[in-house]
Amino acid sequence: MTAFTHAVQRLDGHGVLQVGPKSAGSTPGPACYGRGGVAPTITDAMAVQNLIGHLPLGYGAVSVDHAAARAAFAPLAERLDSPVELVAADVLAIAVSGMFAEVSGLISRFAIDPREFHLFAFGGAGPVLACFLARELDLKGIVVPPAPGVVSAFGGLIADLKNDFIATLYREATAEAMEEVAGVFGTLVGRARAWLEQQGHQGPGALRLSADMRYAGQSFEIETPIESTWVDFPDLDTLRSAFHGEHARIYGHADTEGAVQVVNLRVVIMAATPKPSLVKPDGATGPLQPTLTVAAHFDGRPHQVPVFVRGDIRPGHRLPSPAIIAQDDTTTVIPPGFATEVDRFGNLVITRDRR
């Protein structure tokens, strides 16, 4: 998401405003970062609308130069004969529409109702754009954790050990092939356990075996779970029955007399790691007060917007909209028409006002 917000805007040969795919990257980065960037980016569009940069970012390492962002947008605004704030709003709308196209495809693929789901916003840029995307997707709401910028790193620290070991075989499931299949599985299990030992874990870990299988002539495979004890007692009927059952579960039918091919063998090894104890924050003891109020633009319209410090926000607090919430690792932008509550874990739970 951070790289995406550094996407550069331009006018194409027909004078149409385009966002990306070229990016300013982290170096030189957006013009508003003051590191030599001059091309307008999505981050600069947020700065032009005065939605970011009111308090230090990156633990004091990043400051936002709003004047530099406006200067970067000035040539675009002049060519479009439009105020820089409106051009910046258009850039944001185009960026969100691109995300909408990608996410709505996934929603349709899995046949889910977006009104039943919250968008989990994390990373340095996720909370900046989450409300705008949730509004277009008609999602139930947004959840912003206490430290969005380090969620990925935190997840890596607390995740269980897990690794996949795969071998490609391309064999028909026949009695003659069972010894080879079992031998390859055995080799993968050995590699998996050696890897787990290299990670410093004591104990065998948990194994999950599967085979990517298909009927002869099919162009796709089905990952079929296999009992780990099968390696010690390889049996053709058991292997074929597992595939027939999985095919019937997914597609509602199976050809029990058809030839079955084994394409890939997979061993997944897992082991639990120690988990930290998370401390719940203290609840609110009084009303929440903004640190300052700024003039900002939403959808091209000016608003007086309160800016809150995330460290001041406690469980039980409710925030108005529009609002800006600043913290070292990100900025949470809440447009008009949203209601925000803070749950007992300190997460911001943002929902649309559907009245």
Side-chain angles (χ1 to χ4, degrees):
M1 179 70 81
T2 299
F4 176 72
T5 55
H6 294 179
V8 173
Q9 285 86 64
R10 70 192 191 286
L11 295 182
D12 65 15
H14 301 285
V16 177
L17 184 61
Q18 301 288 329
V19 177
K22 183 180 178 181
S23 171
S26 58
T27 303
C32 65
Y33 281 6
R35 296 176 177 174
V38 294
T41 67
I42 298 173
T43 303
D44 292 309
M46 302 299 288
V48 167
Q49 295 174 98
N50 210 26
L51 298 175
I52 61 172
H54 306 294
L55 295 172
L57 285 169
Y59 303 91
V62 178
S63 59
V64 174
D65 187 338
H66 294 86
R70 295 180 68 87
F73 263 89
L76 275 179
E78 183 176 353
R79 290 183 63 186
L80 292 169
D81 191 24
S82 179
V84 289
E85 292 85 3
L86 289 180
V87 175
D90 290 340
V91 164
L92 179 59
I94 294 170
V96 171
S97 70
M99 291 185 284
F100 172 87
E102 295 294 330
V103 178
S104 61
L106 292 174
I107 290 174
S108 299
R109 177 182 175 186
F110 291 99
I112 63 174
D113 185 346
R115 294 170 298 180
E116 298 178 356
F117 291 87
H118 283 75
L119 176 65
F120 186 75
F122 65 96
V128 180
L129 296 170
C131 286
F132 300 97
L133 177 59
R135 182 175 63 184
E136 296 304 313
L137 290 169
D138 199 21
L139 289 164
K140 185 175 183 179
I142 306 98
V143 175
V144 184
V150 296
V151 163
S152 295
F154 180 71
L157 288 173
I158 68 172
D160 290 338
L161 291 170
K162 180 181 177 183
N163 203 352
D164 292 43
F165 297 84
I166 303 172
T168 299
L169 202 60
Y170 280 111
R171 292 288 185 274
E172 185 174 346
T174 62
E176 293 75 19
M178 288 305 96
E179 183 177 351
E180 182 181 3
V181 173
V184 174
F185 260 137
T187 299
L188 293 176
V189 169
R191 288 174 54 198
R193 286 178 171 157
W195 173 83
L196 193 62
E197 184 177 350
Q198 292 171 1
Q199 305 307 306
H201 181 80
Q202 302 298 319
L207 292 172
R208 188 175 71 222
L209 277 59
S210 64
D212 295 336
M213 304 168 71
R214 66 188 182 189
Y215 289 117
Q218 286 183 322
S219 58
F220 57 89
E221 299 82 44
I222 296 176
E223 184 178 355
T224 304
I226 306 295
E227 293 291 338
S228 59
T229 54
W230 187 92
V231 177
D232 299 318
F233 306 99
D235 175 71
L236 175 61
D237 291 338
T238 301
L239 185 67
R240 285 174 54 89
S241 295
F243 171 70
H244 295 320
E246 191 67 6
H247 196 282
R249 184 187 70 82
I250 296 174
Y251 298 107
H253 66 90
D255 180 7
T256 57
E257 302 301 322
V260 175
Q261 295 177 332
V262 180
V263 178
N264 300 308
L265 302 180
R266 180 181 289 101
V267 171
V268 179
I269 193 164
M270 300 161 287
T273 58
K275 303 295 188 291
S277 297
L278 300 181
V279 179
K280 295 179 183 177
D282 295 332
T285 57
L288 182 64
Q289 299 296 330
T291 298
L292 68 157
T293 300
V294 299
H297 285 74
F298 287 94
D299 302 315
R301 298 183 179 89
H303 294 265
Q304 290 297 310
V305 183
V307 178
F308 300 92
V309 174
R310 185 67 185 266
D312 296 338
I313 299 174
R314 300 293 176 186
H317 276 141
R318 296 172 181 266
L319 283 76
S321 70
I324 297 169
I325 302 170
Q327 58 190 102
D328 280 306
D329 55 341
T330 190
T331 300
T332 302
V333 177
I334 306 172
F338 285 83
T340 304
E341 298 182 356
V342 185
D343 70 12
R344 59 196 177 102
F345 296 101
N347 298 304
L348 303 176
V349 181
I350 309 169
T351 55
R352 288 181 62 191
D353 185 352
R354 298 181 180 274
R355 291 176 296 177

